[in-house]
Amino acid sequence: MKQHNTAGPLELDSLAISTAPHTPSRRPWSVGAALGAIGYGYVVVVIGFLYLPILVMALMSANASPLYELPFHFTVHWYQALADDGVLKAAAFRSIEIALWTTLLSTILGVMASLAFFRYDFAGKRFLQAMLFPPMAIPWLITGTAMLIFFFAIGIGRGLHAILLGHVALALPYVIIVVGARLRTFSPELELAARSLGASGWQITWRVTLPAIAPGVVAGALFGFAVSFDQFVVSYFLSDPGETTLPVEIYSAIRKGFTPEINAISTIIIVVSMGTMLIVSRLYRFGGEQ
Amino acid sequence: MALIDKVVKRALTCVMATAVLASFAAHAEDVHVLNWKGYGTDEPWALKEFEARTGYHVVNDFFNSEQEMLTKLRTNPGAYDVVMVNSAFNQQAREQNLLQPVDVNGMPNVADLDPKMRHSHLLEIGGQSYGIPWVWGVTSFAVNDTKIHPVPDTIQALWDPAYKGHVGMRDDAIEAVQFAALATDQNINDIKNLDAVKSKLKALTSQLKTFWSSENDWNQYVASGVFYVSTYWSGSAARARNKFNLPVTFVIPKEGAIGWLDSLSIPKGAHNVNGAKAFINYMIDPGFYTQWDSRVGAPVSANTKAVAALPAAAFNRAVLANPAVQSRIQFQEPITDDKRRAYLQLWQEIKAQAD
Amino acid sequence: MKFALSSPQGRPLVRAMTLAGPAYMWLLLAVFLPLSVMLFYSFMSDVPTSGGNWSLTFQNYLTFLDEPLYRKLMVRSLGLSAQVTLICTVLGFPCAYMLAKVIRGRSREALFLLIILPFWSNGLVRIFSWNMVLRSGGVVDWVLNHLWPWPVDTDLMFSYPAIVIGLVHSYLPYAVLTAYLSLQAIDDSLIEAARSMGAGRLTILRRLILPLAMPGMLAGAVLTFVPVVGAFMEPRLLGGRKGTFIGTVIEDQFVAVFNWPLGAALSFTLLALVLAILFIGMRLSRRKDK
């Protein structure tokens, strides 16, 4: 997985350039450095904002009160309870499995569709693009109910297969839009050039287009995973009683008896995700490639 | 030799037959129950006891609203053996052909049910029972008695400006309208003066801090000091006190309270009717009920013997079973779809104007 | 301007269909057909259940015109969504720029991962955590009381700002990541060239970077605006009694009453409005280009 490639060949040079101003500055100090410092600070603030509720969530997973009352009393009780809670753990693993399948399927199908929109002009293209919006615009409650009715009517019923069917469908628009955005910055001349050199369609896709839009594909995959992993409305309608997903379990638990066990498992998931991502990014080194 | 062969063969056949039958039996001995989560039918200790007594294994599924319950019944015919239906919804479920009559033969505890409830026009049609009364309770309000003393005896406490910003209620159009009806001295099932209800509700929404939608919400809001006074259910208030040690007192004011009766029914097409009947019988058993109320907290059982078996000081026995109190309770009747939609729209309009 | 990549084998339509076909077949089965059923329901007076009388009618759609309630809520939801989208775009762009252009090496990867991770925390748990942060006695209150010399009671919960904060928090990563995708594809040599020709920072930003980053920013805006219009979780949980929006009202039609036809009609009206807005937006941006 090649990540974070810039298309520019002058990365090393631009490193020097972006930190030292070239334009004649009327100020004695370096505006560039000041802006840079503000920029860094800003990023830190944004990350702080993003993580504030997550840190609170993690903190509360170690708090003794089952009703989230302060003052804070440290305990590992909820993690112990989680270890005994087979239902919650099973639901978590199921969610992960479904999300992985969803990511795989939606990324493949979504990238293919994006390429189609990027390369070809054809009758009905605008219509097809517009049709990406109903799954996103219509509240998931409606879509979920509609799926339930329809799947029941045509005999698909509910269960893990139905959930997967629904999740991929919900993730596809995200993948297509995100990959599409990246494709718009990709110049079609490259594909034409490759073709004129005799490359076949498949070779063009695999060796020219995909590497260049890799960050878009990765982003689309990540969105797809997120959509599936956090999806509860559609999962709720389509799951069998014994085999639910994590968000559904959390949602049901919230109705009666929401304990910090929920926080515990959410914290574990975040920590595990963080760990996985770090390992993956270490293994695939960040390198410049043309 | 031949004899031993014969014996061994016979023994093997017996073993295999038993195994096959057992596997069928294991499947046939499942009882599928549909109810609110954490509402009596999924207590682990109870399910263990039930299985030990009858051999039936219970599989639970849940819903979060009556509408969802109806949808689940419709889209999964035969998937459930027992369903908990609020008696005010029994008519709707029946009209949609989702329930079957219950044959009470073989259910000894049914004889001890309060006759008024047993033969309620909501549940018994043409001599046939479409729902076995299970528990009943009231929706009224509870106060945090460390913040509000003395404990008020009037429903107007919800409108008391002293508690502005610390009032809670459930976001339910029917409940809202019926509370306002009580506060304006009307019959909750036959509201003549909707304008009075509207203005009462408008005033109430400006008293509110927020809505609660589950017991868990409610408990957390009281614990964190968000609510001083809020609408609540009687059984849940008992749980809040006993299980969560919250300083709450449930009040049935002089204006009255909204009563509801929950019953257990058997959906049409249920696979395990015998198991369903055994389960329902267990749910109205005094042995189960007294444990449920003392361990967890429960509404009032429809089984008079079960209520009598409670300790004398228990809320359900001391307060709710008191005839003077019962006379103030107005039980919910079914509401037509049109009325329900009208109430919903009224409520949504009021909410949308919340300043 | 788009190129049409015509290939030596087959018409563009055929090739496009092969690529986009699988994705759309999936969407057809899982989303479009079920939603068509819902669309059909929206023209009924009642859901056809055994024992109900139903007839075809426009009444559900006319209700939107008759009852000011739904128009009012639709406007309110569109306004909320526009605010959230604007805030996310404005807050997200500088962050994306820092990530794409200024920060290099290991830090960039780490920050990228950090921004994605909140996606994978459970949405409901996050909202409850915001409750802990914003309420009276919560984190914000506590911090302010420690910083400010005199006692302060901040209670941000159950208010419009709380809804906005919760939504911005959920959708900010979309804005950052999509803008990042476009920014990262900008060739650094372009910026260098502009600088060496004497262009100031603001000019480069306005005329070079922003236009090139547009596809990403627009994608992020769309991925935020569209779902937020129909949002009901954050308004309900964070807005309390102020949390009545079109999404919650649609949910009520399915959860509190059995009025699926009205709920479906409101959803499709919502969809139509959103599509109309997107269409107008596209037209406007087209005109600016030419």
Side-chain angles (χ1 to χ4, degrees), chain B residues 8-9 47 52 57 82 88-89 105 122 133 158 162 171 177 185 193 195 215 230 245 265 267 301:
Chain B
V8 167
K9 264 204 200 135
L47 299 187
H57 175 71
V82 178
F89 280 84
N105 284 325
L122 298 174
L158 291 169
D171 186 0
V177 166
D185 284 319
N193 188 350
D195 284 327
E215 274 195 30
S230 169
N245 298 317
S265 304
S301 175

Side-chain angles (χ1 to χ4, degrees), chain B residues 294-305:
Chain B
S294 61
R295 281 201 209 198
V296 185
V300 191
S301 175
N303 184 336
T304 45
K305 278 223 182 96

Side-chain angles (χ1 to χ4, degrees), chain A residues 27-46:
Chain A
R27 304 256 192 273
W29 66 90
S30 131
V31 177
L35 280 180
I38 296 177
Y40 275 100
Y42 180 75
V43 172
V44 167
V45 166
V46 166

Side-chain angles (χ1 to χ4, degrees), chain B residues 46-57:
Chain B
L47 299 187
K48 243 192 259 171
E49 195 177 83
F50 177 68
E51 188 164 355
R53 273 196 212 175
T54 62
Y56 291 116
H57 175 71

Side-chain angles (χ1 to χ4, degrees), chain C residues 192-231:
Chain C
E192 213 242 292
R195 279 235 180 87
S196 65
M197 286 196 284
R201 280 208 173 72
L202 265 172
T203 321
I204 296 181
L205 182 69
R206 204 162 47 88
R207 306 191 69 196
L208 183 63
I209 297 181
L210 274 180
L212 286 176
M214 240 343 128
M217 288 170 68
L218 279 179
V222 163
L223 288 178
T224 306
F225 182 77
V226 174
V228 170
V229 185

